[in-house]
């Protein structure tokens, strides 16, 4: 019986640790001094926990297509800011402003999104939003 209890505690600890690492601090991954603005075409929008994801393609200065990802807030926060699952769709041209990943990858924390006409989609996000 004690082996079963020990195994259960070990499993619970491992699950808790993995869930805690899934929810991370802005400052760990993103640099608030490296704000970028990109114009591209949406390829995917996931309205999922713990953070949504927006994938988009940007044509670089050399004409080559670059694949970028933006991390958003949780769906509950997005909804409070006026977002829905259909706020952005594949094929839609957007301008996205956000904070660059510390590791230099093509990954940003979303600050704001504007549609092709320049209209704000939902609301703005800050560096301390969760």
């Amino acid at each position: 019986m004690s082996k079963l209890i020990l195994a259960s505690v070990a499993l619970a600890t491992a699950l808790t640790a993995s869930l805690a690492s899934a929810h991370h601090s802005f400052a760990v991954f993103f640099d608030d001094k490296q704000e970028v603005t990109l114009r591209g075409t949406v390829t995917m929008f996931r309205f999922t926990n713990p953070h949504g994801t927006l994938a988009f393609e940007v044509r670089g200065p050399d004409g080559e297509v670059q694949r970028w990802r933006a991390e958003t807030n949780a769906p509950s926060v997005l909804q409070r800011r006026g977002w829905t699952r259909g706020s952005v769709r594949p094929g839609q041209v957007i301008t996205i402003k956000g904070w660059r990943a510390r590791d230099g990858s093509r990954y940003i924390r979303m600050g704001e999104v504007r549609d092709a006409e320049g209209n704000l989609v939902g609301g703005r996000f800050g560096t301390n939003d969760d």
Side-chain angles (χ1 to χ4, degrees):
M1 186 63 147
S2 64
K3 284 185 181 182
L4 180 59
I5 292 171
L6 183 59
S8 297
V9 169
L11 179 61
T13 301
L15 288 174
T16 302
S18 68
L19 288 174
S21 69
H23 190 97
H24 53 264
S25 165
F26 171 93
V28 171
F29 290 97
F30 304 99
D31 184 349
D32 66 350
K33 307 283 187 276
Q34 289 191 53
E35 190 171 89
V36 294
T37 302
L38 302 162
R39 183 173 174 87
T41 303
V42 175
T43 58
M44 182 267 307
F45 177 48
R46 286 187 11 199
F47 200 73
T48 57
N49 282 314
H51 298 278
T53 305
L54 178 63
F56 56 104
E57 293 179 338
V58 174
R59 190 157 307 277
D62 58 1
E64 185 176 327
V65 173
Q66 302 172 350
R67 288 179 177 82
W68 284 79
R69 271 186 325 126
E71 180 177 292
T72 70
N73 295 91
S76 60
V77 176
L78 289 170
Q79 287 175 323
R80 285 195 299 270
R81 292 204 169 98
W83 284 73
T84 66
R85 290 183 186 278
S87 290
V88 292
R89 297 164 313 286
Q92 182 178 359
V93 175
I94 59 166
T95 300
I96 185 167
K97 187 184 291 187
W99 299 274
R100 188 97 192 241
R102 290 187 178 279
D103 67 4
S105 63
R106 293 179 181 150
Y107 184 47
I108 64 173
R109 174 65 177 198
M110 185 172 76
E112 73 174 39
V113 174
R114 294 190 178 269
D115 64 19
E117 290 77 37
N119 300 311
L120 186 64
V121 177
R124 290 183 178 85
F125 300 84
T127 58
N128 294 320
D129 287 350
D130 212 356

